[in-house]
Structures are given as C-alpha cells and as structure tokens.
Amino acid sequence: MMHPLLRTGGVAVLVILSHHLTMVNAFVTTPLRIGQNRNAKLRVWGSKEESTSGGLPEVFKTVTSSVPLAPLRIGAGLLMIHHGSEGGIGPANFGTAEFNGFVDFIVKPYFSFLPGPPETWSAIHDLVEFFGGALLTVGFLTRPVALSLLGTMMGAVYFHLSSSGAQGFPLGHVPNYSYDFEEPTLYALIFLLFVFNGAGPLSVDSIIYNKISLEDDNEQDSE
C-alpha cells in the first residue's frame, strides 16, 4: 500500500505541474530593458503582447533573472551526472554489476507496474540523469530537462518511501543523520524551481533568448 506521505506529496506535485502547464500565461517576464519606456504595458509570459511575428521560442526565457540561480543550476547539474553513470564512465552500462543491481533491487521490485523491460527503464533513468545533468549545467533547454530530472527524482522519492518509510519525518532521528528520501526530495525541489523559472544567467538559454529578443526588437523598430 502506498505510503500516505508519498500519496499526498505525489498529488501535490501533479497539481503544481498541471498548474504550470495549463496556466503558464500567469508568469511575469524579466524587468524592462534599459531604454524601454517604463510606462509600457507589462508583458506576460505567453501572452499576445509577448508573442512575435517570428514565433519567439519562450522555452529559453527566464522568469526571474537572478545571479544566485547560476551556481545552484550548475552545482545541481554537475552533481547529477554521476548518478546516471553507475558501472562505467557513460550512462546505461548494460551488463555491469551496478546496472544489474539497479534493475534487480530497485526497478523490478518497486517499479514492476511500468510497461516494458525493466532494463529499458533503467537505461532511460541513466540517460536522463547523465545527459540531463550535463544540459542543466550549461543551461540548455533547461525547462524540459529539469522536468525530466524532476520525474527521476520523484521516482527516487517513491522508492525510498516505499522501502524505508517516512523514518519519523520531520522529527525522527536516523543513524546516517539524513532521511533516505531527503536527498532526492531536495533535488526534486531544485528541478521544480527551474521548470518554473528557466535557466537564469550564464546559460545557453539566456544567450539564445537575448539574441532572438534583440532581433525581434530590431524588426519591430524597422516597421
């Protein structure tokens, strides 16, 4: 039977993600650019005012351009890469003891409800965390990447709560000083932040968005 904390947390995350995907127009964009009229109409992410004739790809846009987001994104991305490469340098190391252990002790007993071979899901897990960590580090396609990583972390939270329970959370004390589900929960919250917010500064996404935005402004000025 699913643990009550897992059921409640899972529902909460699904509601948040659903709200994000269906009500994305509620996000406010970055501050007005230098030289822009301060009385100009405030743009809303996804609104008609933000849309352009060139079809501006808003997937690259950051809602809040805050410098502290950069070390958080880079650190989380770098720390995630090795989770997808157990048993070798790269991801999905079929036949290794580490890969087979993940299949036999995690996927088969706790994720048997998933369709298809458990080896396939183990490989998907590795690929998402390895390449997703690398893409998050450089800040490219940050929103879809963070959403994919959030999915793997929710799976990890589910596994730990199913195998170890809540361990007396929030006041319980455990031998290793951290709840088993604690690390993937923190990672999940970080990835959720970047799903909503975007990459932030010092990212490939910000370079792409600024370039497209500048070209769009130049086109509007020439009209």
Side-chain angles (χ1 to χ4, degrees):
M1 184 175 180
M2 188 178 291
H3 195 279
L5 266 178
L6 174 62
R7 183 168 57 250
T8 302
V11 170
V13 169
L14 288 176
V15 169
I16 292 172
L17 290 177
S18 175
H19 181 270
H20 169 64
L21 295 173
T22 59
M23 300 296 291
V24 70
N25 290 343
F27 285 110
V28 178
T29 64
T30 52
L32 298 174
R33 291 196 271 291
I34 297 175
Q36 188 175 2
N37 186 354
R38 289 185 174 274
N39 294 323
K41 187 174 181 179
L42 186 64
R43 292 181 177 181
V44 176
W45 188 41
S47 67
K48 292 182 179 179
E49 290 78 8
E50 178 61 22
S51 300
T52 68
S53 58
L56 183 62
E58 297 176 359
V59 69
F60 301 109
K61 187 166 189 179
T62 298
V63 177
T64 302
S65 183
S66 177
V67 174
L69 289 179
L72 178 63
R73 189 196 75 245
I74 294 169
L78 288 174
L79 289 170
M80 183 53 50
I81 293 174
H82 79 97
H83 288 285
S85 60
E86 285 90 350
I89 297 177
N93 296 289
F94 291 91
T96 63
E98 292 82 359
F99 185 88
N100 291 338
F102 188 85
V103 172
D104 293 335
F105 299 109
I106 296 179
V107 180
K108 286 183 178 179
Y110 294 99
F111 296 91
S112 59
F113 55 85
L114 294 174
E119 292 80 6
T120 299
W121 289 104
S122 298
I124 292 173
H125 161 272
D126 284 1
L127 291 167
V128 168
E129 293 188 348
F130 185 85
F131 290 109
L135 290 172
L136 187 71
T137 300
V138 299
F140 181 53
L141 296 174
T142 302
R143 282 194 173 90
V145 165
L147 185 61
S148 300
L149 290 168
L150 174 62
T152 65
M153 289 302 101
M154 290 306 299
V157 172
Y158 165 77
F159 160 69
H160 286 297
L161 287 177
S162 297
S163 61
S164 304
Q167 299 176 291
F169 171 83
L171 299 177
H173 297 280
V174 290
N176 61 353
Y177 300 100
S178 296
Y179 303 118
D180 290 343
F181 65 90
E182 188 172 323
E183 179 182 336
T185 299
L186 290 173
Y187 269 121
L189 292 173
I190 292 172
F191 297 145
L192 185 62
L193 168 66
F194 287 105
V195 169
F196 277 86
N197 191 81
L202 302 178
S203 64
V204 176
D205 285 354
S206 65
I207 295 172
I208 294 174
Y209 184 82
N210 290 336
K211 179 177 177 57
I212 297 174
S213 181
L214 181 60
E215 291 175 353
D216 179 68
D217 287 344
N218 292 335
E219 288 178 4
Q220 289 182 353
D221 292 340
S222 63
E223 292 178 357

